[in-house]
Every structure is written in structure tokens, then in C-alpha cells.
Amino acid sequence: MCGIVGYIGRRQAAPLILDSLKKLEYRGYDSFGIATLGSHIEIDKHKGRISEYAGGIRLNGTIGIGHTRWATHGVPNDVNAHPHMDCNNRIAIVHNGIIENYAELKKELAAKGHIFRSETDTEVVVHLIEEQYAKTPDLLSAVRGALPRLKGSYALLVIASGADCLIAARKESPLVLGIGDKEYFAASDMTPVLEYTERAIFLEDGDIACLTGNGVDIYQDARPVSRPVELIDWSPEEVRKGGFAHYMLKEIYEQPQAFFNTIQAVDKSSLPEFVCQSSSVTVVACGSSYHAGLIFKYLLEESCGVPARVDFASEFRYFLPPVDGLVIGITQSGETADTLTALRQARVHNCRTLAITNVLGSSVSRVADATLFMRAGPEISVAATKSFVAQLAVLMQIIDARSEGRYEEILLHAHEAIEEVLLMDLSAAVEQCRSAESIFYIGRGPFYPVALEGALKMKEISYIHAEGYAAGELKHGPFALLSPETPVIAICMPGETYGVMVSNIKEIKARGAPVIAVGSDGDQELPDIIDRFIPLPKTHPFVQVLTSLVVLQILAYQTAVALERDIDKPRNLAKSVTVE
Ligand code: F6R
């Protein structure tokens, strides 16, 4: 799970690639490197982040490749950083993915005399290409000859001395080509390329592309193929911070728009029949997307009486699969390996599959029978915010379609309530949280997954231990951890769950833990029994799910700011998890 970029054209490649890699750092940021091709290959690579690297990169050449890494095989250091080179420093490659059979290939190649410098799986690929390049002067043929030996996933970029081209190949890892005016780009996604062109070609699995200064040729099984050029309407401005201190804050503020745009974009009248009529639904997803699936389950069952099952995509294979039903894969990036695998398995069991994603051309749309795109725009911060709210917009539209438009008016105006909570003063709650050892989040019904998501946001960006619980579960063990240093955040909205939530809150207070309650404005009872009250606008339960989520995102954000955390790039994480 890394970011890769390649360029061929008239400009000096190194500065352009360095700048592009900064925009892909959300995919991995423990080391980076660039190789360029002028009269020969020059290479520079470093441990650490690009933004923290004080030295300059002085490499010559108008062809180049670059990489920003999230380590899987081998610790982050200068040697394991990409690009990797062959024995004679004639070929350089960057790779995103995992080569599963690298150990046996490494043994075989080492026995033939190849010198390995790094601990990475990637390095075997460049030595395999080296073997082929010794037999043919054509780099494209050499790469084509090497790839069948690889098991696993890859997006690869290759350059070589004596070859006036850049070779790109993909299998199960994302790779998009940018088509400029006599200049061409290859990258893990379009965010870095939008600066130069909005015209994109999404490579298919098994495609190998040869980019020269005059154009792009794409092959599948050695046969030329043509792939459509698509226009990407994300503006470069959208991928800039635009005056906000962090991308996460910008993206939190973009949520009303993201929700509204997505509601408008999902045309309920043209949803596939199997989405609207299936008598059972299974959702597969990871992380925040899994929480969106759980919220959907509660709302769908309550509104439409349709049973829904929600599985972690990574666990789906260990359960009895649903047969015949609808399986929805939710993934903002469209590249999460576990979600892709789960959808493939669902198809084996004759399920109809629907993907919900934010990224046009992403792998999930190739795996599922149908895809619904959210309109969140590019999300750069590692923590999901606006993509999460946009996922809910798609899911709520499905519920609305299945309920004959019962929620249409509510959904069309939901963004107004989200806007209202953006400016709330949470400083007292932040003060309580920033010194906490642990924080519990509790809720019932659809507010239970809201609690899970609030806790996930808090732990991933503030590094405070935080757990979401179904409110009724806290007394079955976690009560032992309650103390004045473990605040409990209770989402307590009017409705069916209110009375029992209040009882749960009283039980917690009786054990000495401070309670911050997220409730409905005008509540007469709650403020008297808790420590801090966060009042949200009185609205429909669907909208309260959204507003409570957003307020918990802001609480996590402000706590992380108070603790001076690295908000957009939390330690050890990356935005798109392309390994199982
Ligand atoms: C948390 C977060 C992750 C992702 C998860 C799935 O803020 O962003 O938990 O939700 O990695 O990613 P996608 O939705 O791309 O499949």
C-alpha cells in the first residue's frame, strides 16, 4: 500500500514527481524515492516523509518514476525505499502491491548470481526484468516476459537505460494514466495528475502500457487494446488545503456539500432492480465503511423491514455465505483488498453485488455487478469523514427508494442540520478528553455504530485509547475500567432508546466516570445528570445520526489538535489498505 507516480514528457521529471508524491503521501509516508532517466538512470531515496526532508533532489531527465512507501516487507529505511534497481543499475522500478511468491523467486534469482540489496518483495521483480532485458533490447517485451512469474498484486512502473519509454503494468492494484499534451503520467490515483490534465485512462487488470513522448499503447496478453479516456471532474483546488489548518478540517467542513451532492447524484429511479427488491441484504466493509454498513442495517430494518447482515470484509470468508441475496461492498477508496475479496466470494455464491465507492475507475467497480458513486470529492486526510457521510447518503437513498420516497424531503434538507453543528463550541469536552487515559463511547440502535465511529476517529488521530460499546454492554465487563479519568461519551437522542440510555448514564455516573452526553437541544432531563451536554438540532433520527457523527469527528479533531498530533497522517496508518 504505497503511492507511485511516473512521468514522461518535456519537463524535468524529478521536481514534478516530488510534488506529485506529496499528494500521494496519504497512501504511505515512511520513506520515498525517485529515479529519472536522462543519459543514464539517477536515483535518490530516503527514509521519512517528503515534507520533513530538508535536502534537495537533483536528478536529471524528462522520464521518471517515484514512490512513497507504507512498509510491508522490510523496515522503513533508505535501502528498502523504492525505486529498486537491477544488479547493473540499468533498470529501476517502483511497485505498489505484494508479491506473494517473492521468497521462492529470490532464492532462484540469488542462485543465478543476482545481488539483492533490500528486504523488500519488490526487488525480485526488477531482477526478473533484468533476466529478460538481457535477452531483448525491448523493455516492453522484457517486462511482459517477467510478469507471468509473479503471484500477488502489483501496480508497477519501470524505466531502463537505453529505453525511451516508461512501462506501466497493473494487477489488482490501482493504476491510472494521465493524458496530457505530449506528456503522460502514471499514478496510483488522479490526485497528483489533476494539476496537469483531467484526461485519464484507468488500466484494467493484466494491462501493460508503454508510454512514450508521443502517446500511450496498451496491451492485454500481448494484444493491443483500447481503453476509454475519461474526464475527471475533481478540480486541483479540491485537492489543496484551501486555507484550512488540516485536510481533515477542510473535509469535515465539506460534509454538508458532500452529503447534498451525493443525494442529488444517486438517481433512485434507475437503481438496479436487485438493489430495490432483494429480500435480504448483506454488507461487507472495513473500518469506518463497516460502521456505515451497521448504521444502514439499523435504518433499513426499521424502515423497510428487510433483514440485513453486516460482516467485516476480512471475516466474510469464514462465515456461511449468503446465497442468492444482495451483497453490498462499501469502500470509499474502492481498493480495500478485503472488501474486493469478499465481493468476489459473494459472486461465487450467486449473490448480486453492489459497490459503493468515491473513486471513479477504482477496482471495486470492476468486481461488482453495479456501482453507485458518492460525490464526496477527493478525501486526502487518512481519517474518513466526508466520504463516510457520503456513504450514508447513498445508503439512505437506497432506503428511501425502498420506502417509496418517504424520506425524500428529510434527505434533501439534511445538509442544513450538518452545517449547524460545524460551528459548535466543544472546548469543554475537548478539555475533558485530552487528558483522558481511555474514553468510552456508548449508544443504542443506530447510535451504537455512531459510537463505534466516534471512538475510531478519536483513537486514530489523537492516539487516546477509545472504545465504542453498545450502551447495554458496558456493565458486562468494561465497568471495571470506569474512573474519573475515563470519560464516557453517551449519544442519547429522543425516541425509543432514550429512557434506557438515561438509566445507563446514571449507572455510569454512580461509578465515578464523567459523562459527556450528545443529545437533542431542549432536553430537560439529561443536562442535570451529566457533566457536559452537547445539544444537537432537533430533527429526524436519520439526520441525528449524521449530526452526532459530525460532532464526534470534530471532538476527535479538536482533541488531536490540542495534543499536537499529526492529524492528516496518523502514525502507522494509510488511507487505502490494499493488502489483506
Ligand atoms: C478510518 C478509516 C478506515 C477506512 C477503512 C476502509 O477513518 O478511514 O477505517 O474506513 O480502511 O477503507 P475503504 O472505505 O477505502 O474501504
Side-chain angles (χ1 to χ4, degrees), residues 4 38 84 261 277 296 308 312 340 543 546 548 568 576:
I4 62 174
H84 292 287
N261 288 352
Q277 283 174 8
F296 175 62
F312 285 122
L340 298 180
V543 185
L546 299 166
S548 53
D568 287 332
S576 149

Side-chain angles (χ1 to χ4, degrees), residues 286-289 330-336 339 382-384 391 453 456-457 460 575-577:
C286 305
S288 291
S289 299
I330 310 175
T331 164
Q332 59 80 22
S333 63
E335 301 295 345
T336 299
T339 308
V382 164
Q391 286 170 347
E453 177 61 8
L456 179 63
K457 286 291 93 92
E460 74 176 318
K575 185 136 192 86
S576 149
V577 184

Side-chain angles (χ1 to χ4, degrees), residues 182-202:
K182 294 230 176 286
E183 58 180 357
Y184 303 89
F185 307 79
S188 300
D189 68 43
M190 275 300 276
T191 38
V193 180
L194 287 169
E195 208 62 47
Y196 308 98
T197 178
E198 58 184 8
R199 299 170 68 223
I201 294 178
F202 294 97

